[in-house]
Amino acid sequence: MSVKTISPIEAHRLVTDGRAVLVDVRERHEIAREHIDGAIELPLTGFKHGDLGAAQGRKAIFFCHSGGRTRMYAGQIEAKASGICEPYVLGGGILAWRKAGFPTVQGPKPPGLFQRLFGRKPAD
């Protein structure tokens, strides 16, 4: 079995119907900036030891920022989901989800380059 790609529209329908859960594989700092409310957080750096219990017996729709990481790690996703849930990859990631008009939760904006380098905002 290979991991199938699913559109944001179909993913939203399945999640709304309670037949699927969303699984965010991005890193914590990415999730802090923007996330989909209710998604399971399972960053790839801790993926091996993460828990998919909430997806038991349902479809699990894995996503990252634009879809690249989830496609790259599809084999690991499939292995992790084996016997627990039916895995899918959200085509286009959270970017496609937002573009389709579905809500995301925005966190604080990261500091700009000047502030990161000098510890303050530039004077106006």
Side-chain angles (χ1 to χ4, degrees), residues 74-102:
Q76 289 180 18
I77 288 170
E78 185 174 18
K80 180 80 171 173
S82 181
I84 300 171
C85 58
E86 185 179 349
Y88 288 82
V89 168
L90 179 62
I94 196 169
L95 290 178
W97 179 271
R98 187 175 356 106
K99 187 175 180 181
F102 300 122

Side-chain angles (χ1 to χ4, degrees), residues 20-106:
V21 295
L22 292 167
V23 182
D24 194 337
V25 301
R26 297 172 307 140
E27 298 307 315
R28 301 250 184 250
H29 68 277
E30 296 174 279
I31 294 169
R33 271 184 281 183
E34 179 182 29
H35 63 275
I36 298 172
D37 197 30
I40 297 167
E41 296 179 16
L42 192 59
L44 286 171
T45 53
F47 194 75
K48 187 176 183 179
H49 304 290
D51 182 19
L52 280 177
Q56 183 72 42
R58 298 194 281 175
K59 296 175 186 336
I61 303 165
F62 294 81
F63 70 94
C64 60
H65 183 70
S66 63
R69 280 176 281 180
T70 49
R71 293 300 328 150
M72 187 182 337
Y73 289 92
Q76 289 180 18
I77 288 170
E78 185 174 18
K80 180 80 171 173
S82 181
I84 300 171
C85 58
E86 185 179 349
Y88 288 82
V89 168
L90 179 62
I94 196 169
L95 290 178
W97 179 271
R98 187 175 356 106
K99 187 175 180 181
F102 300 122
T104 62
V105 177
Q106 300 289 321

Side-chain angles (χ1 to χ4, degrees), residues 114-115 118-124:
F114 189 92
Q115 188 173 356
F118 302 107
R120 61 181 176 82
K121 293 182 179 183
D124 289 329

